[in-house]
Amino acid sequence: MDGPRDPRASRDPRADRGSATYRSALIALFCAGVATFAQMYSPQGLLPAIAREFGVSAGASSWTVGATTIGVAAGVLPWARVSDRLGRVRTMRWATGAAMLLGLAVPFAPGFETMLALRAVEGFALAGIPALAVTSLVETVRPRALGGAVGMYVAGTTLGGLVGRIFAGAVEEPFGWRAGMVAVAVLAAGMTVCFIALVPATQLPREATGGVLQAILTNLSQPGVLVLIMHAFLTMGGFVAAYNALAFRLVMPPYALTLVQVSWLFLAYLAGTLTSSSVWRLTRRASPTAVMLGSLGVMGAGLALTLAAPLTVVIAGLVLFTGGFFAAHTIASGLIGRRAAGTPGASQAPPLYNLGYYAGSSLLGWAGTAAFSSSGWSGTAAMTGGAILLAAALAWSYARTQGGIARADRA
């Protein structure tokens, strides 16, 4: 016999697990995640070819990715503000449509500077999805279903990052890097159409946030929210730095891989797909903070393995590194709304998290590639390892103020 029902749940208009609306929301946001991240990171495996064609350094070529993530970082708060007026779904549809058109134009840029400018504008358009995905899920599905829903969205982002890199690399070898980026843009356009067709309307009234500055200050004054924003900056920055430098490391001796061979190493993203879609199940037995710290430990262990010379060990380390990162990111993405709940401007907390996320991708991603140019892989690994350790120290310090790791963020 079923236990007593929570009367508040029966009055909640949001969708529960298993409902048609819940499934539509998950499929739509999954498609949006694929489209967004396929476009965002498709040049990453092509950086050596881009550097050769335009005659720029490894560090400069990394701005092909960095310009887009800067655009995303600049766009998350404005898109969130627009959505307060126009609605989450309508805003995301406009953003993805604009990004689709820009993605088709970028590969035809005649020069490096023009390409960077277009990529930055494309990033601003793409920001509409990460800015609003978690907020729209909060307003569409019930709290007990939110962790799994966020995990599915993050799984879509991992597959998008994987498919964008591999598809671009596979097409690049016979047809060139521009054709590789066009192929990814066409794929992303198809996923965008699916998102626009499937995304359901949100079920809660939009929050009246007042002034954006006040909402930002309110969120930043909460230590738990601030720690997660710093977590996003540090871990995403280290993650992108490692993957940027990896392409250059592996095309050099003693590995001397081709770009298409390097692109296949992005299959490590499947580890992120697995961990992001399942990591919330671990919170039934341990606190979310404990799971997040464990995930950072896995990420650090994987990074340490990449310092070895054998390619098989490097690949094993990359798998652990990737799986640990996306597990930690999924937990942090789910916690940001919980820690901000009940405060003015709570809907601005996920966009602020994404601002930190993409600012880290841009700044530390560039710094990690520059570290590779000056000190090799050990320089990039040292920078990334320091970022992971600092993120873990911040999470542990905050947990201490909440009664310890075992109790922090328990539902």
Side-chain angles (χ1 to χ4, degrees), residues 108-132:
F108 300 100
F112 187 64
E113 292 78 10
T114 304
M115 183 179 181
L116 293 186
L118 285 173
R119 287 281 292 171
V121 177
E122 181 186 13
F124 191 93
L126 287 170
I129 293 300
L132 302 174

Side-chain angles (χ1 to χ4, degrees), residues 26 30 32 50 91 116 133 139 201 208 233 263 311 315 347:
L26 260 63
F30 180 88
I50 293 171
T91 302
L116 293 186
E139 296 176 357
F233 178 88
S263 73
L311 183 59
I315 293 172
S347 66

Side-chain angles (χ1 to χ4, degrees), residues 216-307:
I216 292 172
L217 293 176
T218 298
N219 281 294
L220 294 181
S221 68
Q222 300 178 71
V225 172
L226 184 58
V227 163
L228 290 176
I229 294 170
M230 289 301 301
H231 168 97
F233 178 88
L234 292 164
T235 58
M236 180 57 167
F239 182 75
V240 171
Y243 266 94
N244 279 354
L246 186 70
F248 289 97
R249 179 190 183 191
L250 295 180
V251 298
M252 295 177 177
Y255 307 107
L257 302 183
T258 66
L259 286 183
V260 70
Q261 289 172 328
V262 169
S263 73
W264 282 106
L265 294 182
F266 290 114
L267 283 171
Y269 262 55
L270 291 175
T273 305
L274 175 63
T275 58
S276 60
S277 61
S278 60
V279 69
W280 269 99
R281 297 173 191 169
L282 299 178
T283 62
R284 299 169 187 169
R285 299 181 180 179
S287 75
T289 300
V291 175
M292 185 167 66
L293 285 169
S295 300
L296 290 175
V298 172
M299 187 181 179
L303 180 67
L305 284 178
T306 65
L307 291 167

Side-chain angles (χ1 to χ4, degrees), residues 18-206:
S19 67
T21 300
Y22 177 81
R23 288 193 295 269
S24 289
L26 260 63
I27 294 171
L29 268 298
F30 180 88
C31 290
V34 171
T36 301
F37 279 72
Q39 287 177 258
M40 197 180 303
Y41 290 108
S42 61
Q44 195 168 49
L46 307 175
L47 292 181
I50 293 171
R52 284 197 302 271
E53 174 159 337
F54 291 116
V56 298
S57 67
S61 72
S62 71
W63 284 111
T64 310
V65 177
T68 309
T69 54
I70 286 174
V72 174
V76 287
L77 292 178
W79 280 119
R81 186 60 173 171
V82 169
S83 77
D84 288 338
R85 297 179 178 273
L86 299 183
R88 315 297 184 209
V89 170
R90 185 179 178 187
T91 302
M92 287 192 292
R93 283 173 171 161
W94 277 103
T96 54
M100 176 179 68
L101 295 175
L102 286 162
L104 292 169
V106 164
F108 300 100
F112 187 64
E113 292 78 10
T114 304
M115 183 179 181
L116 293 186
L118 285 173
R119 287 281 292 171
V121 177
E122 181 186 13
F124 191 93
L126 287 170
I129 293 300
L132 302 174
V134 174
T135 302
S136 70
L137 285 172
V138 168
E139 296 176 357
T140 304
V141 305
R142 294 185 179 181
R144 65 182 181 183
L146 183 60
V150 171
M152 186 57 67
Y153 162 67
V154 176
T157 70
T158 67
L159 275 183
L162 166 64
V163 171
R165 291 165 169 96
I166 289 183
F167 201 21
V171 174
E172 183 275 338
E173 188 169 53
F175 300 113
W177 67 266
R178 293 181 187 269
M181 291 188 67
V182 169
V184 172
V186 171
L187 170 68
M191 301 302 289
T192 298
V193 170
C194 291
F195 163 75
I196 291 173
L198 292 173
V199 63
T202 55
Q203 300 300 310
L204 293 182
R206 296 188 297 276

